[in-house]
């Protein structure tokens, strides 16, 4: 009897190196070893399969620099991308005797890679000279047994390295790999079985009951536009999802999750055959729509109403197309998350939230991976961050171990997500990834891995959630702060179009009441909203996209403006139908409070005249006649005084503004109390320039060290001049040379009765890596400042006590921010800016950046914007800062009417409490031809309040509903004396369905 062969004692490192070399292409070189911008090129491929290949698996192999897709019999069948490790298409898993030997395929190849076509680096502007090559087109046999053996060896090596030299299981994995190398001979196929038996024995050894469970889900993050245009995303979706279909067919246990209704609609329209397959697999539970939104939008900049519409459009699409709504909000790659998102989610039928982006924090590590997230109003959702800190895992042992090791909630929960598949530019999972994860199902030494779904994951997390912690407030990303400012024209288009759609919906709703002939433009409004929602994708509204995408976004905004203004005029005409009165202008107030403001009215000959007009809440008034443009003013008129030193003072009896000869603000006094708002010895309206050179993410980041490069922009004395000389309006203007290449002009405007001074600004901006801000040092001391967010506001520190405080050196806000001490404060309002900060007592508004990647032209050119400064007595809530910021952003409308203008004023809605804002009036989605309106209100002060909603509309019924406009069975509201009562808690959003009676006329 022969003596048993005793394995030689081997050094761990050399054994590991031997196994690594064995699985590399250097060792196995036999044929069974398988390892101009935006144009589309088509290749016709004629194939003849050798007769000798009968009974074997045959692949078509293709490698090209550009992404590709195989078409067969008129349908897409396989995505191809070298970067995404998809370089072959399975022609047949077993060639039969009767199968055809000749066939024709078509390969569609894009002139762009998985991540665009940047010149030199990924985020550089696209290279117009970039060449793309096809490097491989061939038939090949695929040996599944070799493939499986290579996967096993790879996993064994991963365990040997990942578990380390002091771990028993590590040595077992390494020695098993070594034994496989010993027995396997590529020239002798029968040795495969011996090698596979060794591997199966090892992987068949099970883990214990306490092992952490990893829920592995196929995932393919596809940016709706980023380093490629929107139209290329449509093809990326097709390439990625047709590959996922192939995987679902071959692996019944494989589950693929997919977000973004917009992308699914594109595929539905352009690849109907593929879309039908996706619906089939959705019925089987393998294709799982997630997210509930139209796109994966930015989590900071869209308004509260726009966020609601993301869910309204998305959830309705998923329900219509796939039979059910999503129960989880899926936003893995956005640059921070508003504190109002939990309330919006809950009211849209969503209880769970998944992201991983906070793992990108530059300063502080977020303390949890699984926790309850409590929003501004107290709403809670169960949040989960995959502990592997990625949405593009590949199924390696290293990633599996990292998922467990980095989990910050060990002991509180024993489940976590594992999202695998190439992402950002699409691609998605591969068969190799699936094979790795299936092999690791329940192996001793590793966590348990199961191919799972979001529903299974969150059910497991919920069942064991008793020990979870709660995070209260916003999820602030300590990175990508520059996206609050980059591409100012996109930011301006976003704010303007949010306003236009708000106004169109309100006027169209009122026209529906006033005219029996008026048809609410539901289809047109849906199209315009979807354009706006598309632009709110997290790499578009943020400005972190290539020039071509920015240009497309600006075209979308122009479409919304032009069509929206046409709809406004049509609604105004319907509002006036049949009314007595002269022809002329209708002055419309789209806000829920009475307003008296100065308005520039168009007059014959193309001129304009200033008039002080009063318009009731959410209603209209006729324009004043030519003879009554300057009535006796109910308040003190504006006085404008030019001093001998060249300074100018503007005074309307509410505030007094003093500008030095260069246009800087030397004094801002609240007249009634004679309280100075500008810090002693300082000047406001000070433009400052910073060097702005991020470490890498040019359009995304502004680094804290930019603050060390502050340079005040100094003007030249004598440039300040009086503009409008007083009465209903007074103004002064000046010019400022920012640099040799950039200049600024500004008109400082004060209107009669207005509590704030406006700064109308025009900038011609031609800079390279510079950051322009404007500063206002306040005579106010407070450890925190207040910033408007969606449906409310929150406080952030003005100091740098901790690293968490310092990391907020640049933050975002919507229409206003405020710095207040007891009894007095100073608010800074704006009409299209988002970047801001308050450091100490200095309020700073971020105006313009000049990044050069991925768009070298970002922000270059002419800009117009307005900001305003409002000193106030008492709290900003009681002083009306919120209403003032709305008024700045929603100017009174002077709409021409084709017929007669009503002689009397009319108001549709008003609210009894200034703490409650009636944000939205629209037609209900479920009644496109009906007479049901949706009203959305929110509590804006942060208080418990009862209020009355008054209306002149003929209300038949009023009932509470959620944000998806589904009735609350217990939400009936009594309607008496043209009003109904509502009760709010702090920052609560409430929606009402209001059923109208027959039209008045």
């Amino acid at each position: 009897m022969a003596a048993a062969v005793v394995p030689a004692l081997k050094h761990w490192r050399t054994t590991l190196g031997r196994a690594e070399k064995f699985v590399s292409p250097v060792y196995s070189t036999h044929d069974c070893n398988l390892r101009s911008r935006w144009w589309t090129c088509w290749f016709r491929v004629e194939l003849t399969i050798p007769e000798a290949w009968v009974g074997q698996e045959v692949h078509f192999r293709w490698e090209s620099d550009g992404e590709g897709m195989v078409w067969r019999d008129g349908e897409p069948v396989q995505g191809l991308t070298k970067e995404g490790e998809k370089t072959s298409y399975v022609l047949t898993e077993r060639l039969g005797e009767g199968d055809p030997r000749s066939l024709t395929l078509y390969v569609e190849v894009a002139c762009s890679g998985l991540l665009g076509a940047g010149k030199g680096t990924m985020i550089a502007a696209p290279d117009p000279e970039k060449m793309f090559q096809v490097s491989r087109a061939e038939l090949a046999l695929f040996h599944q047994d070799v493939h499986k053996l290579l996967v096993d060896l790879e996993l064994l090596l991963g365990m040997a390295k990942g578990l380390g030299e002091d771990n028993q299981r590590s040595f077992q994995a390494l020695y098993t790999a070594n034994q496989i190398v010993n027995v396997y001979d590529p020239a002798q196929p029968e040795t495969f079985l011996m090698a596979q038996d060794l591997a199966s024995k090892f992987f068949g050894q099970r883990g214990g009951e306490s092992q952490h469970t990893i829920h592995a889900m196929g995932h393919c993050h596809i940016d709706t536009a980023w380093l490629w245009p929107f139209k290329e995303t449509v093809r990326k979706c097709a390439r990625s999802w047709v590959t996922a279909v192939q995987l679902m067919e071959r692996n019944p246990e494989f589950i693929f999750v997919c977000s973004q209704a917009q992308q699914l609609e594109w595929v539905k329209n352009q690849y109907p055959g593929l879309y039908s397959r996706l619906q089939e697999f959705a019925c089987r539970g393998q294709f799982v729509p997630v997210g509930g939104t139209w796109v994966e939008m930015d989590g900071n900049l869209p308004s509260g109403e726009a966020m609601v519409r993301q869910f309204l459009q998305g959830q309705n699409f998923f329900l219509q197309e796939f039979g059910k709504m999503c129960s989880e909000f899926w936003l893995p790659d956005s640059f921070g998350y508003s504190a109002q998102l939990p309330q919006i989610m809950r009211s849209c039928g969503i209880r769970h939230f998944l992201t991983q982006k906070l793992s990108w924090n530059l300063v502080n590590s977020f303390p949890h991976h699984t926790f309850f997230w409590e929003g501004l109003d107290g709403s809670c959702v169960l949040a989960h961050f995959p502990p592997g800190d990625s949405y593009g895992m590949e199924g390696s042992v290293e990633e599996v171990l990292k998922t467990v090791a980095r989990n910050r909630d060990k002991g509180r929960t024993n489940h976590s997500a594992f999202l695998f598949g190439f992402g950002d530019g699409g691609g998605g999972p591969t068969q190799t990834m699936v094979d790795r994860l299936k092999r690791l199902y329940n192996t001793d030494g590793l966590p348990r891995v199961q191919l799972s779904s979001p529903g299974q994951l969150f059910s497991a997390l919920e069942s064991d959630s008793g020990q979870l912690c709660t995070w209260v407030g916003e999820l602030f990303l300590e990175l990508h702060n520059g996206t609050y400012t980059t591409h100012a024209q996109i930011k301006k288009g976003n704010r303007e179009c949010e306003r236009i759609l708000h106004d169109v919906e309100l006027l169209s709703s009122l026209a529906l009441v006033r005219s029996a002939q008026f048809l609410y433009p539901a289809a047109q409004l849906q199209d315009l909203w979807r354009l706006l929602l598309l632009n709110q994708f997290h790499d578009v509204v943020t400005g972190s996209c290539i020039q071509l995408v920015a240009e497309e976004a600006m075209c979308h905004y122009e479409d919304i403006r032009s069509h929206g203004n046409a709809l406004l005029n049509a609604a105004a005409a319907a509002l006036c139908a049949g009314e007595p009165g002269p022809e002329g202008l209708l002055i419309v107030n789209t806000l829920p409070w009475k307003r008296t403001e100065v308005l520039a009215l168009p007059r014959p000959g193309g001129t304009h005249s200033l008039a002080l007009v009063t318009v009731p809440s959410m209603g209209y008034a006729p324009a004043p006649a030519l003879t009554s443009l300057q009535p006796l003013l109910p308040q003190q008129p504006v006085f404008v005084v030019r001093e001998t030193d060249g300074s100018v003072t503007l005074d309307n009896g509410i505030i007094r503004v003093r500008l030095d000869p260069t246009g800087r603000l030397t004094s801002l006094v609240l007249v009634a109390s004679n309280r100075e708002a500008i810090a002693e010895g300082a000047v406001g309206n000070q433009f400052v320039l910073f060097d702005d050179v991020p470490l890498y993410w040019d359009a995304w980041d502004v680094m804290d060290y930019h603050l060390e490069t502050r340079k005040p922009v100094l003007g030249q004395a004598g440039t300040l001049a009086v503009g409008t000389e007083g009465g209903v309006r007074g103004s002064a203007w000046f010019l400022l040379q920012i640099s040799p290449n950039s200049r600024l002009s500004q008109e400082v405007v004060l209107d009669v009765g207005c509590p704030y001074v406006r700064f109308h600004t025009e900038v011609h901006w031609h800079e390279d890596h510079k950051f322009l801000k404007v500063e206002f040092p306040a005579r106010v001391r407070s450890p925190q400042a207040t910033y408007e967010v969606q449906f409310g506001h929150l406080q952030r520190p003005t100091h740098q006590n901790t690293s968490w405080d310092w990391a907020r050196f640049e933050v975002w806000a919507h229409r206003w921010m405020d710095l207040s001490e007891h009894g007095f404060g100073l608010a800074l309002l704006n009409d299209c800016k988002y970047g801001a900060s308050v450091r100490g007592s200095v309020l700073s508004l971020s105006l313009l950046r000049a990044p050069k990647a991925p768009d070298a032209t970002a922000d270059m050119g002419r800009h117009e914007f307005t900001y305003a400064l409002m000193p106030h007595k008492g709290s900003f809530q009681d002083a009306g800062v919120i209403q003032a910021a709305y008024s700045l952003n929603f100017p009174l409308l002077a709409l021409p009417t084709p017929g007669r203008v009503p002689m009397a004023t009319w108001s549709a809605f008003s609210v009894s409490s200034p703490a409650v804002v009636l944000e939205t009036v629209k037609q209900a989605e479920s009644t496109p031809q009906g007479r049901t309106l949706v009203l959305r209100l929110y509590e804006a002060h942060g208080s418990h309040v009862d209020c009355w909603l008054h209306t002149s509309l003929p209300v038949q019924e009023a009932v509470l509903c959620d944000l998806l406009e589904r009735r609350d069975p217990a939400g009936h509201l009594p309607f008496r004396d043209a009003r109904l009562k509502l009760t709010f808690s702090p920052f609560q959003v409430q929606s009402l369905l209001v059923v109208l009676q027959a039209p008045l006329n």
Side-chain angles (χ1 to χ4, degrees), residues 178-203:
N178 188 65
Q179 287 177 284
I180 289 173
V181 174
N182 286 335
V183 303
Y184 165 63
D185 182 351
Q188 300 181 42
E190 64 273 12
T191 61
F192 283 123
L193 293 176
M194 298 166 62
Q196 286 172 349
D197 286 343
L198 289 168
S200 295
K201 180 180 178 181
F202 176 88
F203 288 110

Coordinates of all heavy atoms in Angstrom, one line a residue, residues 178-203:
N178 N -4.8 25.6 -2.5 CA -3.6 25.0 -2.8 C -3.8 23.6 -3.3 O -3.2 23.1 -4.3 CB -2.6 25.0 -1.6 CG -1.3 24.5 -2.0 OD1 -0.6 25.2 -2.8 ND2 -0.8 23.4 -1.4
Q179 N -4.7 22.8 -2.7 CA -5.0 21.5 -3.1 C -5.7 21.5 -4.5 O -5.4 20.6 -5.3 CB -6.0 20.8 -2.1 CG -5.3 20.4 -0.8 CD -6.3 19.8 0.2 OE1 -7.1 20.5 0.8 NE2 -6.3 18.5 0.3
I180 N -6.5 22.5 -4.8 CA -7.1 22.6 -6.1 C -6.1 22.8 -7.1 O -6.1 22.1 -8.2 CB -8.2 23.7 -6.1 CG1 -9.4 23.3 -5.2 CG2 -8.6 24.0 -7.5 CD1 -10.4 24.4 -5.0
V181 N -5.1 23.6 -6.9 CA -4.0 23.8 -7.8 C -3.3 22.5 -8.1 O -2.9 22.2 -9.2 CB -3.1 24.9 -7.3 CG1 -1.9 25.1 -8.2 CG2 -3.8 26.3 -7.2
N182 N -3.1 21.7 -7.0 CA -2.4 20.5 -7.2 C -3.1 19.5 -8.1 O -2.5 18.8 -8.9 CB -2.2 19.8 -5.8 CG -1.1 20.6 -5.0 OD1 -0.2 21.2 -5.6 ND2 -1.1 20.5 -3.7
V183 N -4.4 19.4 -7.9 CA -5.1 18.3 -8.6 C -5.6 18.7 -10.0 O -5.8 17.9 -10.9 CB -6.4 17.8 -7.8 CG1 -6.0 17.4 -6.5 CG2 -7.4 18.9 -7.7
Y184 N -5.7 20.1 -10.3 CA -6.3 20.5 -11.5 C -5.2 20.5 -12.6 O -4.1 21.0 -12.5 CB -6.9 21.9 -11.4 CG -7.2 22.6 -12.7 CD1 -8.1 22.1 -13.6 CD2 -6.5 23.8 -13.0 CE1 -8.4 22.7 -14.8 CE2 -6.8 24.4 -14.2 CZ -7.7 23.9 -15.1 OH -8.0 24.5 -16.3
D185 N -5.6 19.9 -13.8 CA -4.7 19.9 -14.9 C -5.6 20.3 -16.1 O -6.5 19.6 -16.5 CB -4.2 18.5 -15.2 CG -3.2 18.5 -16.4 OD1 -3.2 19.5 -17.1 OD2 -2.6 17.4 -16.6
P186 N -5.3 21.5 -16.7 CA -6.2 22.0 -17.8 C -6.3 21.0 -19.0 O -7.3 21.0 -19.7 CB -5.5 23.3 -18.2 CG -4.7 23.7 -17.0 CD -4.3 22.4 -16.4
A187 N -5.2 20.2 -19.1 CA -5.3 19.2 -20.3 C -6.1 18.0 -20.0 O -6.3 17.2 -20.9 CB -3.8 18.8 -20.6
Q188 N -6.5 17.8 -18.7 CA -7.3 16.6 -18.3 C -8.6 17.1 -17.7 O -8.7 17.4 -16.5 CB -6.5 15.8 -17.3 CG -5.2 15.2 -17.9 CD -4.5 14.4 -16.9 OE1 -5.1 13.5 -16.2 NE2 -3.1 14.6 -16.8
P189 N -9.7 17.1 -18.5 CA -11.0 17.6 -18.0 C -11.5 16.9 -16.8 O -12.2 17.4 -16.0 CB -11.9 17.4 -19.2 CG -11.0 17.4 -20.4 CD -9.7 16.8 -19.9
E190 N -11.1 15.6 -16.7 CA -11.6 14.8 -15.5 C -11.1 15.4 -14.2 O -11.7 15.1 -13.1 CB -11.3 13.4 -15.6 CG -9.8 13.0 -15.6 CD -9.1 13.1 -17.0 OE1 -9.7 13.7 -17.9 OE2 -7.9 12.7 -17.1
T191 N -10.1 16.2 -14.2 CA -9.5 16.7 -13.0 C -10.4 17.9 -12.4 O -10.3 18.3 -11.3 CB -8.1 17.3 -13.1 OG1 -8.1 18.3 -14.1 CG2 -7.2 16.2 -13.6
F192 N -11.3 18.4 -13.3 CA -12.2 19.4 -12.8 C -13.1 18.9 -11.7 O -13.3 19.6 -10.7 CB -13.1 19.9 -14.0 CG -12.4 20.8 -15.0 CD1 -12.4 20.5 -16.3 CD2 -11.9 22.0 -14.5 CE1 -11.7 21.4 -17.2 CE2 -11.2 22.9 -15.4 CZ -11.2 22.5 -16.8
L193 N -13.6 17.7 -11.9 CA -14.5 17.1 -10.9 C -13.8 17.0 -9.5 O -14.4 17.3 -8.5 CB -15.0 15.7 -11.3 CG -15.9 15.8 -12.6 CD1 -16.3 14.3 -13.0 CD2 -17.2 16.6 -12.2
M194 N -12.6 16.6 -9.5 CA -11.8 16.5 -8.3 C -11.7 17.8 -7.6 O -11.8 18.0 -6.4 CB -10.5 15.8 -8.5 CG -10.5 14.4 -9.1 SD -8.9 13.8 -9.7 CE -8.0 13.9 -8.2
A195 N -11.3 18.8 -8.4 CA -11.2 20.2 -7.9 C -12.5 20.7 -7.4 O -12.5 21.4 -6.3 CB -10.6 21.1 -9.0
Q196 N -13.5 20.5 -8.1 CA -14.8 21.0 -7.7 C -15.3 20.3 -6.4 O -15.9 21.0 -5.5 CB -15.9 20.8 -8.8 CG -15.7 21.8 -10.0 CD -16.6 21.4 -11.1 OE1 -17.2 20.4 -11.2 NE2 -16.7 22.3 -12.1
D197 N -15.0 19.1 -6.2 CA -15.3 18.4 -5.0 C -14.7 19.0 -3.8 O -15.2 19.2 -2.7 CB -15.0 16.9 -5.1 CG -15.9 16.1 -6.0 OD1 -17.0 16.7 -6.3 OD2 -15.6 15.0 -6.4
L198 N -13.4 19.4 -4.0 CA -12.7 20.0 -2.9 C -13.3 21.3 -2.5 O -13.5 21.7 -1.3 CB -11.2 20.3 -3.3 CG -10.3 19.0 -3.4 CD1 -9.0 19.4 -4.1 CD2 -10.0 18.5 -2.0
A199 N -13.7 22.1 -3.5 CA -14.3 23.4 -3.3 C -15.7 23.2 -2.6 O -16.0 23.9 -1.7 CB -14.4 24.2 -4.6
S200 N -16.5 22.3 -3.2 CA -17.8 22.1 -2.6 C -17.8 21.7 -1.2 O -18.6 22.1 -0.4 CB -18.6 21.1 -3.5 OG -18.7 21.6 -4.8
K201 N -16.8 20.8 -0.8 CA -16.7 20.4 0.5 C -16.4 21.6 1.5 O -17.0 21.7 2.5 CB -15.5 19.4 0.7 CG -15.3 18.9 2.1 CD -14.2 17.9 2.1 CE -14.0 17.4 3.6 NZ -12.8 16.4 3.6
F202 N -15.5 22.5 1.0 CA -15.2 23.7 1.8 C -16.4 24.6 2.0 O -16.8 25.0 3.1 CB -14.1 24.4 1.2 CG -13.7 25.7 1.9 CD1 -12.8 25.7 3.0 CD2 -14.3 26.9 1.6 CE1 -12.5 26.9 3.7 CE2 -14.0 28.1 2.3 CZ -13.1 28.1 3.3
F203 N -17.1 24.9 0.9 CA -18.2 25.9 0.9 C -19.4 25.3 1.5 O -20.3 26.0 1.9 CB -18.5 26.4 -0.5 CG -17.4 27.4 -1.0 CD1 -16.6 27.0 -2.0 CD2 -17.3 28.7 -0.4 CE1 -15.6 27.9 -2.5 CE2 -16.3 29.5 -0.9 CZ -15.4 29.2 -1.9

